[in-house]
Amino acid sequence: MSQRQAPAAQKKTALILVGVVALMVSLSFAAVPFYDWFCRVTGFGGTTGVAETESHNMLDRRITLRFDASLAAGMPWEFRPAVPEMQIRIGENGLAFYEAYNPTDRAIAGTASYNVAPYSAGGYFVKVHCFCFEQQVLQPGERVSMPVSFYVDPSIMDDPEGRLLKEITLSYTFHVTDLPAGQADAGGAAASTAAN
């Protein structure tokens, strides 16, 4: 290789490496939305389904639903399910409540992440309305009751694993998030009812 060809080869190699780095960065940003879409479509990792309307097909078989609540590190709220478990029929529209309390002297915003266990039930557990769809803001000393309406899709009976399930656990974890602009002194929590 002549000295004249060496810089051209180095320039080509540098361009290829820059292209590879740009591709890797692009793929890393695309991975999160792709993974989220994949989980929602398949129920992978306990991701629940979401529907705009309630179920209209109810089966005679009953299933136990357990409700779990936890707080991420640094979240000072108190958070718990109003009732730890209930039994419903598959396809029946259920309504559960979680309670949150802000014991601090400042407004705190939170967002709930959620999943379903066992993971194989995720695609069959369908939420219609949920406090987890929106950020919640609790004022100092505020206590709220937050609803989640749901049903277990009757198609779970067509799944060889799903038809054997006797119970499903719905878990929420609240994380601190930034207060929306102008919300520091606003009263109430979005999509919640105060229970002072």
Side-chain angles (χ1 to χ4, degrees):
M1 181 180 292
S2 71
Q3 288 183 343
R4 184 187 285 181
Q5 290 175 330
Q10 290 173 349
K11 188 182 271 187
K12 183 178 178 182
T13 301
L15 284 173
I16 290 172
L17 290 175
V18 167
V20 168
V21 168
L23 177 65
M24 297 302 281
V25 169
S26 299
L27 289 175
S28 70
F29 282 104
V32 172
F34 178 76
Y35 181 75
D36 182 57
W37 169 82
F38 175 78
C39 290
R40 290 186 189 282
V41 168
T42 64
F44 181 78
T47 303
T48 65
V50 176
E52 293 189 17
T53 60
E54 295 183 331
S55 171
H56 300 289
N57 181 18
M58 195 169 13
L59 306 180
D60 286 332
R61 182 162 176 254
R62 292 189 166 275
I63 191 161
T64 300
L65 294 171
R66 297 185 187 281
F67 304 101
D68 181 51
S70 63
L71 298 168
M75 171 54 97
W77 289 359
E78 294 173 12
F79 178 55
R80 68 179 187 82
V83 177
E85 72 177 53
M86 70 170 60
Q87 276 204 346
I88 64 168
R89 290 170 36 185
I90 293 177
E92 179 181 1
N93 297 300
L95 181 63
F97 290 89
Y98 280 76
E99 297 172 355
Y101 171 63
N102 178 2
T104 71
D105 61 355
R106 67 187 194 285
I108 297 176
T111 304
S113 60
Y114 56 87
N115 73 357
V116 170
Y119 289 162
S120 59
Y124 302 106
F125 189 92
V126 181
K127 294 181 187 177
V128 180
H129 299 288
C130 183
F131 63 89
C132 60
F133 295 159
E134 299 176 355
Q135 180 186 58
Q136 304 296 316
V137 178
L138 270 63
Q139 297 301 314
E142 184 175 16
R143 185 180 306 273
V144 295
S145 180
M146 300 177 291
V148 55
S149 63
F150 59 89
Y151 62 89
V152 177
D153 192 320
S155 65
I156 196 170
M157 298 306 292
D158 299 330
D159 183 328
E161 247 183 87
R163 76 169 60 119
L164 300 175
L165 290 177
K166 302 258 188 275
E167 66 182 47
I168 297 173
T169 301
L170 175 61
S171 298
Y172 287 98
T173 302
F174 254 107
H175 306 265
V176 175
T177 56
D178 292 334
L179 281 169
Q183 284 287 316
D185 297 320
S192 303
T193 55
N196 290 336

